[in-house]
Amino acid sequence: MLQCRDDVLFYTKMLVRIKSIVNTSGEKEIAQTLYSLIASLPYFQQNPSFLTNASTIDDEVERYNVMAFVKGTKEASGRTVILMGHIDTVGIDDYNQLESVACEPDQLREAMLQEELPEEIRKHVESEDWLFGRGALDMKSGIAGHFYLLKHYAEHPEELTGNLVFLAECDEEDRSHGILSALKQLKAWKDQHQFDYIAAINADFVAPRYPGDPNRYIYKGTVGKLLPAFYITGAETHVGACFEGLDPNFLAAELTRQLSYNPELCNSAQGEITVPPVSLKQTDFKPAYSVQTALSAYVYYNMLVYTWTPKEVLEKLKRQAEIAFDNALSAFGQRYREYCRLSGEPPSGIPWRTRVFTYEEMNKLLLSEHGQHFAQHMAQFKQQLLLLDRSLDLRMYAARVVEEAWKWMKDKSPAMILFFASLYSPRVELTGKNRKEQRLIEAVDGAVAEIRHQYEHPIQVKPFFPYISDMSFVSLSDDEEAIQTETANNPAWKSKLHVDYQDIRDLDVPVINIGPYGHDAHKKYERMEITYSLSIVPNLTNLVIRRLLAPLGSDDL
């Protein structure tokens, strides 16, 4: 066992003290600190080209990835393991009166001791085995553990067969510019140094899956995430004659009732099941108060997948949206007829019908009706929208593009337009379908079996990391048709959103997650268990590395 606890704790606290909130200058600061720390090691002073502080690509924010590698001298080999993790965090507004010490673990602990706290949290504050602070769990302790291993092998390359790459990427908490940019460098190193990337080990946090859960989890592969959105148009009317129009908010409400918490939209695989969709935003586009109903509404949902492709998701959601539209019109008709009965007014027919289009379907219709004039207009509109406000939220940017396209529709009767409003984080399945995957699974199982007796809680290996992470961008389980469906239905594609999926296919490395354990990531009481996170996790990771890089048939494990 590596005696690493105190060193990794020191590096964790050092990193937590840097307020590296995503989309702020702190991302640049922490990258520079980490770069300087690695550059100070004798190995990298002798091999400066083995270390880089690389700026992100196609990004509106100045920030950097820190990347380094060690070449083992025990035996020459191209086999290479990637250690990866992110250096940015979410914000600290939720700390309220403790915001000033949110990134100072020791001071935060002292301040929390003076507060009224839930019993479990007070126990952890008073314990020497828990560290509080923004990023302590998610995931600077993971980065600290990876740095410790990089440093260890930089000092002892004679112990290493093969090569070890260290990747500390920025912008994981927003749009993954970091990992998407790092792919270029990883590909360059592959060509320059003949690296054969056989596995990637991410160090994102793990947490209990249910109340009282005693397990610590290792995950193979990762869940995928889509952000399906609907631009919903109605038929405007004065509120004094409400039945003469159709409120898009009424349609949106019925759509959310149909989609949110719907078990039919849970994806099951390998004994696991995703949580169902839930709405993340629901609004309309009225700029100010008036007694006219809204012209349009906008809603988007979180959607997690294990095996469903973007094409399958669109098909399922379009069907659910048609059901919601039918139900909304049925309820409208029932209420209208009851109102007519009560008021004595004669009822008339309802002029609307269910209409649901995907963005790709609408786009093809408009191109057939308006040709290149429409295509040129939309290209110019997207660029003007970018220039007008580069800070415009990606999800709102996508909605504005759909809104502009809708203006070209000849039939503007109520409709729902279904599209993807954000970055797609692809699912990654690890099933043992090839030798690389088989060897990674064997290495993980063997390492867990070797170390589990040295820790009091059970360590379980499960499929699919359950949270969104940069693991999605080092391997790709979707085929080309699935990716084309996603991009064709993303209004921001190639304007505000850029992803080189070929880079992911070229890397194509199986990935697992061995990360720190704790509670309340992204919350005020974010905390990390020291024994597991700073001792067991680095040693477990090291055992996996040694098993992966050992020559086939070797006893040197």
Side-chain angles (χ1 to χ4, degrees):
M1 286 275 287
L2 297 168
Q3 300 305 307
C4 56
R5 181 187 186 277
D6 291 345
D7 285 351
V8 181
L9 178 59
F10 173 81
Y11 297 131
T12 298
K13 287 185 176 181
M14 181 188 72
L15 295 173
V16 170
R17 289 188 187 106
I18 302 170
K19 190 167 65 174
S20 56
I21 297 169
V22 68
N23 297 324
T24 71
S25 61
E27 287 188 276
K28 179 181 176 182
E29 180 185 350
I30 195 171
Q32 185 57 54
T33 299
L34 199 50
Y35 176 85
S36 298
L37 189 63
I38 298 172
S40 70
L41 301 176
Y43 181 87
F44 293 100
Q45 291 174 354
Q46 296 164 15
N47 300 282
S49 65
F50 291 7
L51 169 65
T52 182
N53 193 22
S55 177
T56 51
I57 301 167
D58 291 325
D59 197 353
E60 295 136 5
V61 179
E62 183 186 359
R63 48 192 162 195
Y64 299 83
N65 295 319
V66 181
M67 302 176 66
F69 64 85
V70 172
K71 288 187 173 183
T73 59
K74 185 172 185 178
E75 181 179 324
S77 171
R79 291 193 304 277
T80 304
V81 174
I82 301 168
L83 301 180
M84 59 183 288
H86 68 88
I87 50 180
D88 60 318
T89 73
V90 295
I92 58 175
D93 293 349
D94 53 334
Y95 281 82
N96 300 318
Q97 74 276 14
L98 298 179
E99 184 175 335
S100 63
V101 291
C103 298
E104 296 287 344
D106 296 331
Q107 295 178 41
L108 177 61
R109 180 174 179 271
E110 292 303 316
M112 291 177 70
L113 285 170
Q114 309 306 314
E115 294 209 332
E116 291 289 331
L117 298 170
E119 182 180 353
E120 182 189 50
I121 293 171
R122 176 159 291 280
K123 276 185 180 178
H124 289 169
V125 172
E126 293 173 349
S127 167
E128 294 296 322
D129 202 33
W130 290 87
L131 188 74
F132 285 72
R134 176 60 77 234
L137 176 62
D138 184 16
M139 55 166 285
K140 291 179 179 180
S141 50
I143 287 288
H146 281 180
F147 170 73
Y148 177 90
L149 293 172
L150 177 77
K151 179 175 180 290
H152 175 82
Y153 285 112
E155 293 170 348
H156 303 284
E158 75 281 358
E159 296 180 8
L160 184 66
T161 299
N163 314 289
L164 191 65
V165 168
F166 172 89
L167 165 57
E169 72 268 16
C170 57
D171 188 33
E172 189 267 358
E173 298 290 2
D174 188 9
R175 290 168 55 190
S176 293
H177 280 102
I179 186 63
L180 292 171
S181 300
L183 295 174
K184 304 288 187 187
Q185 187 65 62
L186 290 171
K187 287 174 62 177
W189 282 349
K190 179 180 180 180
D191 294 337
Q192 293 165 12
H193 300 280
Q194 289 74 56
F195 286 165
D196 175 17
Y197 296 123
I198 60 172
I201 304 175
N202 192 45
D204 218 331
F205 77 95
V206 299
R209 294 168 66 101
Y210 54 86
D213 183 3
N215 299 292
R216 279 52 173 161
Y217 294 102
I218 312 301
Y219 290 101
K220 302 176 295 182
T222 186
V223 70
K225 177 188 175 180
L226 292 149
L227 195 76
F230 290 83
Y231 177 78
I232 303 171
T233 67
E236 71 274 18
T237 184
H238 189 285
V239 294
C242 60
F243 286 107
E244 293 180 10
L246 184 60
D247 179 10
N249 288 307
F250 181 70
L251 295 175
E254 185 61 35
L255 180 65
T256 293
R257 194 191 70 81
Q258 183 67 28
L259 297 185
S260 281
Y261 308 108
N262 187 344
E264 293 181 34
L265 297 173
C266 296
N267 183 194
S268 60
Q270 297 187 47
E272 299 292 311
I273 187 165
T274 63
V275 296
V278 67
S279 68
L280 292 173
K281 188 178 185 68
Q282 187 163 318
T283 188
D284 64 39
F285 286 150
K286 282 183 70 172
Y289 172 79
S290 75
V291 292
Q292 184 189 53
T293 57
L295 295 173
S296 58
Y298 181 39
V299 57
Y300 53 73
Y301 306 86
N302 187 69
M303 184 86 184
L304 301 180
V305 293
Y306 289 149
T307 60
W308 291 345
T309 67
K311 182 179 180 180
E312 289 173 304
V313 168
L314 281 179
E315 290 170 350
K316 293 175 186 295
L317 290 179
K318 184 176 180 182
R319 178 60 190 138
Q320 293 292 328
E322 288 169 345
I323 293 171
F325 210 131
D326 286 344
N327 291 341
L329 290 179
S330 176
F332 180 94
Q334 291 172 6
R335 295 174 186 184
Y336 173 56
R337 288 188 292 274
E338 177 63 13
Y339 171 78
C340 290
R341 186 187 69 78
L342 293 171
S343 66
E345 295 179 8
S348 57
I350 297 173
W352 312 294
R353 58 185 174 85
T354 294
R355 295 206 307 160
V356 180
F357 301 92
T358 64
Y359 177 72
E360 183 179 18
E361 289 169 344
M362 181 179 73
N363 210 42
K364 287 180 177 178
L365 174 62
L366 293 174
L367 283 170
S368 69
E369 291 178 347
H370 304 285
Q372 284 305 303
H373 181 44
F374 166 73
Q376 291 167 3
H377 172 84
M378 291 307 299
Q380 291 171 0
F381 175 81
K382 290 180 182 182
Q383 289 306 309
Q384 290 169 355
L385 194 58
L386 280 175
L387 294 172
L388 185 65
D389 184 3
R390 287 199 170 273
S391 65
L392 181 64
D393 178 79
L394 176 62
R395 283 118 320 232
M396 189 54 68
Y397 175 91
R400 291 302 183 191
V401 172
V402 178
E403 180 184 47
E404 184 67 18
W406 174 258
K407 294 175 183 177
W408 289 69
M409 290 286 283
K410 293 179 179 178
D411 181 357
K412 291 188 173 62
S413 57
M416 296 179 180
I417 312 300
L418 167 60
F419 58 99
F420 296 125
S422 190
L423 174 71
Y424 171 40
S425 296
R427 63 197 175 86
V428 178
E429 278 192 278
L430 200 65
T431 60
K433 62 180 174 291
N434 56 44
R435 186 62 189 126
K436 281 186 180 180
E437 289 192 7
Q438 291 167 9
R439 194 161 189 197
L440 178 54
I441 292 169
E442 291 165 2
V444 172
D445 291 343
V448 170
E450 184 175 343
I451 207 170
R452 61 167 33 120
H453 71 279
Q454 301 181 50
Y455 180 63
E456 62 178 319
H457 297 292
I459 301 172
Q460 284 199 16
V461 180
K462 295 182 77 68
F464 302 115
F465 183 66
Y467 316 116
I468 308 311
S469 79
D470 283 342
M471 295 168 70
S472 288
F473 300 105
V474 297
S475 184
L476 200 58
S477 297
D478 288 313
D479 61 19
E480 191 61 35
E481 181 186 20
I483 295 301
Q484 287 177 353
T485 299
E486 193 279 327
T487 57
N489 286 282
N490 194 319
W493 181 244
K494 288 191 175 178
S495 53
K496 195 174 177 69
L497 181 63
H498 304 270
V499 178
D500 191 338
Y501 286 104
Q502 190 57 48
D503 281 348
I504 305 174
R505 291 195 190 283
D506 290 344
L507 191 66
D508 192 29
V509 57
V511 61
I512 60 171
N513 190 84
I514 305 175
Y517 171 85
H519 298 265
D520 293 334
H522 293 202
K523 300 178 184 178
K524 176 180 180 178
Y525 297 125
E526 177 178 348
R527 59 201 184 278
M528 172 267 296
E529 185 208 306
I530 292 173
T531 297
Y532 179 77
S533 306
L534 308 189
S535 181
I536 298 299
V537 164
N539 275 284
L540 184 54
T541 303
N542 189 47
L543 288 173
V544 173
I545 292 168
R546 291 174 65 86
R547 286 173 175 273
L548 284 168
L549 294 180
L552 290 173
S554 171
D555 294 327
D556 185 21
L557 295 176

